[in-house]
Amino acid sequence: SFSASNSGAQPAIAYGGNSVKKGDNNAMLISIRSATASPILHWRCRLPETEMTAGLIVSPCGYYIVGGGASGSCYIWSSVSLSGRLLRTFKAHYRSCTCMTFSDCGKYLATGSADGMVHLFSLMDLVDMTSPNSKRNVSP
């Protein structure tokens, strides 16, 4: 996990295609300390979809990064490892995922979609590999 409070740095997520190689779609989580200092890289990965229509968000605890794609699928990565280990892929909607947010307590993930639906998921059900939901798609 990362903490911006210790260094005074502002965390930022950057993602998008690489102009050098077509289809090279990467994301990274960085902290920017100042205009003159180099940013600190906390996490990076190759995105499973070229269009992350709901963007990428960091959980309130700082341990997870969640993205929502044009396919309606959502992806959860561990932010603890620099390599961007994908923990879970689940089909949240049948149309493009357009928005995501965490509840104030950080226990729930809400997703919205072009299908007109809003779904609420337990974050622990999504990331707990011992949960019965870990073997199949997680129901909202």
Side-chain angles (χ1 to χ4, degrees), residues 1-4 7 9-12 27-33 39-45 62 65 78-84:
S1 75
F2 66 95
S3 174
S7 64
Q10 296 299 314
M28 65 182 91
L29 175 66
I30 58 174
S31 290
I32 300 169
R33 296 174 287 175
I40 300 169
L41 178 65
H42 298 283
W43 171 87
R44 69 173 168 226
C45 78
I65 297 172
S78 169
S79 67
V80 176
S81 68
L82 183 63
S83 64

Side-chain angles (χ1 to χ4, degrees), residues 60 102-109 120-125:
F102 282 99
S103 62
D104 290 342
C105 66
K107 293 180 181 180
Y108 302 99
L109 171 69
L120 188 65
F121 300 93
S122 164
L123 182 59
M124 285 297 92
D125 280 348

Side-chain angles (χ1 to χ4, degrees), residues 57-66 102 106 123:
I57 59 173
V58 179
S59 66
C61 66
Y63 288 113
Y64 307 105
I65 297 172
V66 181
F102 282 99
L123 182 59

